[in-house]
Amino acid sequence: EAGVAQSPRYKIIEKRQSVAFWCNPISGHATLYWYQQILGQGPKLLIQFQNNGVVDDSQLPKDRFSAERLKGVDSTLKIQPAKLEDSAVYLCASSYLAGGVTGELFFGEGSRLTVL
Amino acid sequence: DQQVKQNSPSLSVQEGRISILNCDYTNSMFDYFLWYKKYPAEGPTFLISISSIKDKNEDGRFTVFLNKSAKHLSLHIVPSQPGDSAVYFCAASDTGANSKLTFGKGITLSVRP
């Protein structure tokens, strides 16, 4: 079974530029998550999708971050304009369960963003 | 406000000995707890979980203990192996319809050969 795919693995941009990350979850997984992991901290949920609807985006900085999940499968996370504090690893995860977190999340390898 | 706390940033143990990784939480609504393991340049992978209706769950060398009254859980690895060297994240959630995982900062475990 293929895992969660993410791209690009690494991205270096200057502040005020824009960047987009892509995620393809495990086939059949209804729920998709984007997490931000800053060095030395644990992953922080940015947004959670249930199929193609947003379940939770309370910690997404909506003035600069946006995310979509078209057709309930792939997802993109965009940052525009980027700030220095956005330097982090952006982790995509998916889970089979339709609602609630009582099972495991499957994470991709992450996209490491460096903002100069 | 950090709802899941892993107060020790690192732990070093000898191969063959027991590793004990601790985690505390503050949100009394949390009723499901998981441990994830992360190697460098990889995403976290699920290790073991426990529901609040239990106080212990065992899977091979890994055992998680939950003390609800103290809002504390611990992961025991026996015996520890060099391949266990990684960052371990404690995570917690409630089981509501729109629940989400809240992670701790992680503990870096080093197992010395």
Side-chain angles (χ1 to χ4, degrees):
Chain A
E1 179 183 72
V4 176
Q6 289 189 247
S7 68
R9 288 294 309 277
Y10 305 93
K11 189 73 175 179
I12 300 174
I13 61 174
E14 295 191 349
K15 59 183 178 182
R16 291 188 290 274
Q17 288 187 323
S18 63
V19 63
F21 302 111
W22 173 83
C23 173
N24 182 246
I26 292 173
S27 178
H29 280 196
T31 310
L32 184 147
Y33 312 79
W34 283 101
Y35 281 85
Q36 178 193 58
Q37 186 182 7
I38 294 173
L39 187 64
Q41 298 184 21
K44 183 185 85 171
L45 179 69
L46 292 176
I47 189 167
Q48 176 181 343
F49 291 95
Q50 182 64 41
N51 296 308
N52 61 350
V54 175
V55 172
D56 185 342
D57 63 357
S58 57
Q59 298 191 88
L60 186 74
K62 298 180 186 64
D63 58 334
R64 298 183 299 106
F65 285 65
S66 64
E68 60 181 8
R69 188 182 185 196
L70 298 176
K71 301 181 181 177
V73 182
D74 293 9
S75 178
T76 56
L77 175 70
K78 296 179 181 177
I79 308 174
Q80 182 179 14
K83 292 185 175 181
L84 296 177
E85 59 261 36
D86 298 332
S87 294
V89 175
Y90 290 86
L91 293 163
C92 179
S94 69
S95 67
Y96 174 76
L97 294 172
V101 181
T102 55
E104 65 176 289
L105 271 60
F106 294 84
F107 283 87
E109 293 181 318
S111 295
R112 180 177 295 277
L113 173 66
T114 302
V115 182
L116 303 176
Chain B
D1 176 35
Q2 212 180 339
Q3 299 184 68
V4 178
K5 301 178 182 180
Q6 296 178 264
N7 293 320
S8 302
S10 63
L11 175 68
S12 181
V13 300
Q14 192 75 38
E15 180 179 5
R17 305 294 290 268
I18 185 171
S19 294
I20 300 176
L21 289 71
N22 293 307
C23 177
D24 298 290
Y25 62 96
T26 58
N27 189 337
S28 57
M29 297 300 292
F30 288 151
D31 54 9
Y32 193 72
F33 306 89
L34 306 89
W35 285 91
Y36 280 81
K37 177 180 179 179
K38 184 182 183 303
Y39 293 117
E42 295 184 10
T45 56
F46 171 76
L47 188 58
I48 193 169
S49 64
I50 188 167
S51 164
S52 61
I53 63 173
K54 295 185 175 182
D55 55 18
K56 176 183 174 181
N57 188 27
E58 188 173 354
D59 184 1
R61 296 185 297 114
F62 303 91
T63 303
V64 57
F65 295 91
L66 175 63
N67 182 334
K68 290 187 290 293
S69 61
K71 293 190 176 67
H72 176 82
L73 62 155
S74 61
L75 174 67
H76 293 211
I77 307 174
V78 182
S80 301
Q81 299 174 354
D84 296 330
S85 297
V87 178
Y88 290 78
F89 291 101
C90 173
S93 78
D94 60 50
T95 49
N98 296 325
S99 61
K100 62 185 181 186
L101 276 184
T102 300
F103 285 83
K105 288 187 176 183
I107 300 172
T108 300
L109 173 66
S110 298
V111 180
R112 306 185 304 273

